[in-house]
Amino acid sequence: MIFVDYSLLWLDWRPKAGLPEYTKRILGTPATRQGKAALRELRNGLKVMRSEPDTSAEADGGPAIRLIEYPGNDEKVTLRRSGDGMELSGSGRGLLYGAFHLLRHLALGEEFPEWESSPAYPLRMLNHWDNADGSIERGYSGRSFFFSGGKPICTERTRDYARLLASCGLNGCCINNVNVHGSALKLLTGSYRRELKRIAACLGEYGVSLWISVSFSAPMELGGLSTADPLEPDVRKWWEDTCSQLFPSVPGLAGFLVKADSEGRPGPHTYGRSHAEGANMLADAVKPFGGKILWRCFVYNCTQDWRDTETDRAKAQYGAFAPLDGQFRDNVYLQIKNGPVDFQIREPVSPLLGRLEHTESLLEFQLAQEYTGQQKHVCYLLPMFREVLDLHLRQRPARDTVAESVSAVCAVSNTGDAFNWTGHDLAAANLFGFGAVSWDPAVDPAYIAREWSILTFGDEPEVTRSVTDILLRSRTVYEKYTVPLGIGWMCVPGSHYGPSPEGYEYDRWGTYHRATHLEIGVERGPEGTGFSEQYSPELAAIYGSVDTCPEELLLFFHRLPFSYVMNDGRSLLQRIYDDHFEGVEEAAAMAAAWDKLESRLEPAVFARVRERFQEQLRSAAEWRDVVNSWLYRLTLIPDEKGRKLYL
Ligand code: GCV
């Protein structure tokens, strides 16, 4: 028996009474690695659920699960009843998704509907911001399990990670930080080929492709060239030679992720070349191996003078990439963060999404809770993901939602080597939920929360009810006690944890609210920076006017007096005060709901989450008091309800 010092999250199957007869026998002998993995998952899962030594593979002996493997590599899966049994068919990868789907439904004890499904996107991936030294940028769950001591590593945990990803429908993983430092640069060279090959094989068994982040100036850093100019023949040749050695020796490597000309990273602008010229040069180098380039659009001026009121960071990505539409090779995907600024608790959808008519686009979410409580606060992100995916961009008669307009989805991972993988046990719901929404962007966040809770904590109704309820309330609660109405950035600079309302005001990052004693916010309507005009005319009109702007985004788009009257008649200031007081009370109610589950949960799980709640409550009160007192000191207007503010 292998000892592992981590949990298996939702794959930790439990004995289950009343399973159908067909779960006793599995027929079929898949030929591919993924098909074999599907068979193994079914056998192992059913052994535990049935509390029996093994399933049978005898051809005649009653109802069975029959696996039928088709040739090919597509991801379509069909599960249907056949007599008293169940028939699961697909390619090896299809079988894998079907096996996990079946196991999940059996564990949920639900009447099993027939299932014929294909994922909405061909690429559904995680981006790790893991550094070669084992640290993780914006990591809140321990250290990396992909790197240690400067080298990539492949362990039993890598395999279980691949299982977890496949089990929720994910099929790609970029293992190193987009800020490529130190020996991670050498992933391109022969130095770590053996390790990369092992990782690729491990992931590949579960249908997960391997990606690596590369530095645009690698020809200089590794190849000793004097330039990384994408139009320079020596540079092109360096990339071609590097790829022709790398790809054939790492089967399963799917391509490169690139952060260029962003936050100090090298890129084509240094040489007066465009993003398209830079990305295309790499695209040409990986093309012979079927490779793809994921080119990030997180590009803005990070050395802005705070005195400069003309420049609006929110406008930068659209400004940089919309004019280049149509200039990229077909194996380039532009990777676009969900909002125009940076993964705040509330932002509008990035106007670049849906704007690229002739270029593939990849939507990027962040599971790592950099600005949403750093896995110390519970914050279930699926409702936010659905809001983004469901938005009608109002620019095309058909395929008009964000979900319909993008070609792929990815998310910054929230995992590390912590026992529970995600630091906060409840944060694993975000990983599971991201898998679910990237398979089917119309999934119901409440259904997924419930499903995840049952698979993780068992099917005791009170636990399911409370956990689901906590998850579903958590994002709004977090938003209430932190940053009001889309304004963002009131966090401590650098760490991004805890309140500091003016922390970013006189800094270079382009994230200002410019509050005075009378008003707050940056005007981004047509009379202001004009950011709202980057949307389709219909959305531009909605966001551009205070009268039609959705209230939760009011301070993202508009500069308003504190006396501004909200829809319900309260002043803007009073609304912010109220939200902060209510948010803390609601956080306390979530913590109390968790406390009631003590006798129904494993003591270690209960204690871990309880500890997180204690920190959440401390931090929430800090947010409330700092933000509210700061506003009180600015405005000298007291809370109408006479609650405590600090002068
Ligand atoms: C990986 C934000 C984060 C950085 C991150 C960057 C990015 O600025 O604070 O840590 O760098 O986003 O997405 O590239």
Side-chain angles (χ1 to χ4, degrees):
M1 181 171 162
I2 302 167
F3 172 76
V4 286
D5 58 353
Y6 51 87
S7 90
L8 287 174
L9 300 176
W10 56 85
L11 289 184
D12 199 2
W13 309 114
R14 297 176 168 71
K16 179 89 191 161
L19 288 179
E21 269 298 288
Y22 64 74
T23 55
K24 280 187 180 161
R25 279 194 330 136
I26 311 174
L27 304 180
T29 46
T32 62
R33 282 189 310 150
Q34 294 83 10
K36 288 188 168 92
L39 176 60
R40 191 172 54 240
E41 292 297 332
L42 276 175
R43 281 182 59 186
N44 291 344
L46 290 174
K47 266 196 283 189
V48 179
M49 283 192 216
R50 300 193 59 84
S51 309
E52 276 169 18
D54 207 347
T55 51
S56 143
E58 273 171 40
D60 41 48
I65 301 169
R66 183 181 300 275
L67 302 189
I68 304 168
E69 188 176 46
Y70 295 136
N73 202 25
D74 69 40
E75 297 185 299
K76 186 173 164 210
V77 49
T78 308
L79 256 169
R80 68 169 153 249
R81 294 215 172 263
S82 153
D84 295 337
M86 187 63 82
E87 197 175 275
L88 166 57
S89 56
S91 70
R93 293 162 84 195
L95 292 185
L96 205 46
Y97 299 124
F100 283 120
H101 188 83
L102 181 55
L103 287 168
R104 279 202 308 272
H105 274 79
L106 292 169
L108 292 174
E110 282 175 356
E111 184 56 31
F112 191 79
E114 301 205 332
W115 195 55
E116 188 169 330
S117 187
S118 296
Y121 307 106
L123 178 59
R124 311 172 299 283
M125 79 183 299
L126 288 178
N127 290 184
H128 279 256
W129 287 355
D130 295 21
N131 298 312
D133 65 4
S135 61
I136 303 179
E137 183 157 347
R138 312 302 178 188
Y140 312 107
S141 315
R143 294 181 60 83
S144 172
F145 49 79
F146 279 124
F147 293 91
S148 175
K151 288 169 55 170
I153 49 169
C154 185
T155 65
E156 193 61 23
R157 189 162 192 152
T158 321
R159 200 161 157 278
D160 281 322
Y161 193 49
R163 296 177 60 222
L164 286 165
L165 299 195
S167 72
C168 64
L170 296 171
N171 72 353
C173 184
C174 183
I175 59 171
N176 67 305
N177 191 356
V178 288
N179 294 325
V180 187
H181 306 294
S183 56
L185 272 166
K186 291 200 267 174
L187 291 173
L188 281 171
T189 70
S191 312
Y192 304 128
R193 204 125 299 165
R194 209 163 29 118
E195 289 86 348
L196 270 191
K197 199 173 160 181
R198 285 185 62 203
I199 295 175
C202 217
L203 298 178
E205 187 176 2
Y206 281 85
V208 179
S209 57
L210 170 69
W211 299 74
I212 56 173
S213 297
V214 300
S215 164
F216 193 77
S217 53
M220 298 165 77
E221 291 152 330
L222 296 171
L225 301 192
S226 59
T227 175
D229 182 345
L231 300 193
E232 185 62 46
D234 285 352
V235 171
R236 299 180 71 86
K237 178 152 185 343
W238 186 87
W239 280 107
E240 280 158 19
D241 291 347
T242 299
C243 291
S244 63
Q245 284 166 30
L246 176 65
F247 280 84
S249 56
V250 184
L253 179 65
F256 301 151
L257 172 59
V258 193
K259 173 174 176 178
D261 288 318
S262 161
E263 299 189 325
R265 301 307 301 159
H269 284 177
T270 311
Y271 311 98
R273 313 298 183 196
S274 71
H275 283 285
E277 286 167 320
N280 290 346
M281 181 267 299
L282 292 176
D284 292 342
V286 301
K287 178 102 180 171
F289 315 100
K292 294 192 168 60
I293 298 299
L294 313 179
W295 190 267
R296 291 178 93 229
C297 297
F298 184 56
V299 170
Y300 66 98
N301 174 9
C302 66
T303 55
Q304 186 175 335
D305 185 337
W306 58 269
R307 299 166 193 86
D308 164 10
T309 52
E310 300 298 306
T311 307
D312 179 4
R313 172 169 165 179
K315 290 171 73 176
Q317 299 178 38
Y318 184 99
F321 287 94
L324 299 179
D325 189 18
Q327 296 183 26
F328 292 90
R329 300 277 192 269
D330 60 5
N331 59 335
V332 175
Y333 282 60
L334 292 187
Q335 184 165 316
I336 307 168
K337 289 190 182 187
N338 62 272
V341 186
D342 193 9
F343 298 137
Q344 301 300 292
I345 186 66
R346 176 78 65 178
E347 282 186 57
V349 159
S350 168
L352 191 55
L353 286 163
R355 264 313 161 109
L356 303 168
E357 301 271 347
H358 311 287
T359 310
E360 304 289 354
S361 56
L362 171 62
L363 167 60
E364 178 179 339
F365 289 120
Q366 191 186 40
L367 304 176
Q369 290 174 237
E370 178 177 359
Y371 299 98
T372 54
Q374 304 201 348
Q375 284 130 260
K376 295 187 175 85
H377 300 224
V378 54
C379 190
Y380 179 53
L381 296 166
L382 206 52
M384 180 204 283
F385 297 168
R386 279 295 309 271
E387 275 166 25
V388 172
L389 289 159
D390 290 356
L391 183 81
H392 274 274
L393 296 160
R394 307 191 196 204
Q395 56 196 15
R396 295 192 195 116
R399 297 179 54 76
D400 184 55
T401 63
V402 170
E404 288 162 338
S405 74
V406 296
S407 321
V409 285
C410 70
V412 180
S413 179
N414 59 356
T415 54
D417 73 355
F419 175 82
N420 62 5
W421 298 82
T422 51
H424 197 312
D425 285 66
L426 299 184
N430 285 331
L431 179 59
F432 184 80
F434 172 65
V437 82
S438 57
W439 184 282
D440 173 7
V443 286
D444 175 6
Y447 177 85
I448 297 299
R450 181 179 164 276
E451 178 179 15
W452 173 82
S453 174
I454 294 175
L455 297 175
T456 304
F457 299 125
D459 58 4
E460 168 120 22
E462 195 186 327
V463 173
T464 311
R465 233 187 345 265
S466 288
V467 170
T468 306
D469 187 55
I470 289 170
L471 288 174
L472 291 174
R473 286 156 61 189
S474 59
R475 187 258 186 133
T476 308
V477 171
Y478 183 82
E479 182 179 22
K480 277 185 163 179
Y481 63 70
T482 56
V483 198
L485 305 166
I487 200 158
W489 300 102
M490 288 189 173
C491 54
V492 174
S495 73
H496 298 169
Y497 188 74
S500 179
E502 302 217 341
Y504 273 107
E505 272 313 281
Y506 304 100
D507 217 328
R508 63 187 173 93
W509 299 95
T511 50
Y512 317 112
H513 53 64
R514 304 189 189 277
T516 68
H517 65 298
L518 294 176
E519 40 185 31
I520 185 167
V522 168
E523 179 57 44
R524 293 193 163 113
E527 309 296 313
T529 69
F531 165 71
S532 62
E533 304 291 290
Q534 292 184 340
Y535 293 89
S536 61
E538 238 185 287
L539 276 188
I542 293 173
Y543 293 142
S545 155
V546 271
D547 299 330
T548 47
C549 181
E551 209 160 63
E552 68 276 8
L553 286 170
L554 215 44
L555 290 179
F556 189 95
F557 283 100
H558 299 288
R559 179 167 182 81
L560 292 172
F562 287 112
S563 57
Y564 176 81
V565 181
M566 306 294 288
N567 290 338
D568 62 7
R570 283 181 288 176
S571 71
L572 170 64
L573 181 67
Q574 191 57 41
R575 162 74 189 265
I576 299 175
Y577 285 156
D578 286 348
D579 274 4
H580 282 79
F581 284 111
E582 279 166 30
V584 174
E585 279 163 24
E586 289 166 18
M590 295 196 303
W594 181 262
D595 279 349
K596 287 210 186 108
L597 302 179
E598 180 161 14
S599 61
R600 298 166 197 272
L601 289 165
E602 233 180 80
V605 174
F606 173 77
R608 275 199 304 268
V609 175
R610 180 158 205 264
E611 204 182 299
R612 299 273 146 166
F613 267 125
Q614 281 164 354
E615 167 54 19
Q616 180 170 359
L617 294 187
R618 185 208 62 76
S619 174
E622 182 77 357
W623 270 100
R624 175 197 61 200
D625 293 339
V626 170
V627 172
N628 280 355
S629 300
W630 170 70
L631 289 173
Y632 181 37
R633 289 174 190 190
L634 267 185
T635 62
L636 292 179
I637 301 172
D639 170 43
E640 278 171 7
K641 297 182 186 142
R643 291 162 294 194
K644 179 78 182 157
L645 302 174
Y646 298 81
L647 273 182

